[in-house]
Amino acid sequence: MIFRTATRQDLPAVLALLADEERVVDPASVLVGEAHERAFADIEADPRNEMLVLVDGEAVLGCLQLTYIPGLGQGGRERALVEAVRIRADRRGGGLGAELMRLAAERARARGCGLVQLTSGKRRSAAHRFYERLGYARSHEGFKLRLEP
C-alpha cells in the first residue's frame, strides 16, 4: 500500500471514488471534463492543496484532499482541512480509512499544522462514528451557502 500525491493519471480513479460512495465505479467509465482538469491542475499548482491517494499496485483504493489554511489562531500555525475522503466501497471495513486519515494527520503535523478539521454531512452517521473513533471531536456546527452562477 502506497500513500502519495495524486497524479493526472489518477484523476479518473479519484473521480470514480467521488462518484458513488455505495458501489465501485469503474474509472474507465468516468468522464473527465474540462472543469475537472482545471481543478486538478489548480490543486497540483497550489502549495496549500494536495490531492492524496492510497494505492495498491495500480488500483486507487482511497483518496482525500488536504488544504492548508493560514490563520492567526492556533498561534499562527496553519490548520489542515480534510475534504473528499473516500475508500473504495469494496475495501471498506478493513482499516484503510483509518490509515488514510492517520497518514493525512501525520502529513499535516509534519507541515506544522495546529489542527486537522473536516466537515461531514449531517445524515452520514456511520462516517461520524468513524471520525469520532479516530479522535475527532464534534466541536462546531457547520454552515454552507451555495453560490449559483
Side-chain angles (χ1 to χ4, degrees):
M1 205 71 59
I2 297 170
F3 179 66
R4 62 169 170 75
T5 303
T7 66
R8 169 55 189 85
Q9 289 73 27
D10 298 319
L11 186 53
V14 168
L15 293 176
L17 289 172
L18 297 175
D20 194 328
E21 290 186 59
E22 303 305 319
R23 65 183 181 88
V24 176
V25 175
D26 179 4
S29 72
V30 174
L31 175 63
V32 179
E34 269 185 56
H36 296 121
E37 296 281 3
R38 262 192 320 273
F40 188 80
D42 288 346
I43 292 167
E44 271 191 319
D46 185 346
R48 293 195 185 280
N49 272 288
E50 297 182 294
M51 190 62 174
L52 302 167
V53 290
L54 192 59
V55 179
D56 187 11
E58 295 295 312
V60 174
L61 301 181
C63 69
L64 61 76
Q65 182 176 347
L66 272 179
T67 300
Y68 302 104
I69 305 169
L72 298 176
Q74 300 294 311
R77 293 164 58 195
E78 289 179 319
R79 64 185 61 217
L81 174 65
V82 178
E83 294 276 333
V85 179
R86 297 290 189 283
I87 295 295
R88 205 170 75 183
D90 64 341
R91 296 298 297 268
R92 289 197 196 120
L96 292 180
E99 182 66 3
L100 182 65
M101 293 298 291
R102 185 191 69 75
L103 291 166
E106 281 302 312
R107 198 168 184 100
R109 184 177 289 111
R111 187 177 165 112
C113 291
L115 64 85
V116 177
Q117 66 186 32
L118 58 86
T119 61
S120 182
K122 286 187 177 263
R123 294 184 182 99
R124 300 186 69 220
S125 56
H128 302 165
R129 288 189 303 275
F130 168 73
Y131 293 127
E132 287 173 335
R133 276 195 313 271
L134 298 179
Y136 288 79
R138 295 182 193 219
S139 62
H140 292 72
E141 190 74 21
F143 298 88
K144 294 184 180 184
L145 173 64
R146 291 237 180 249
L147 301 176
E148 301 300 324

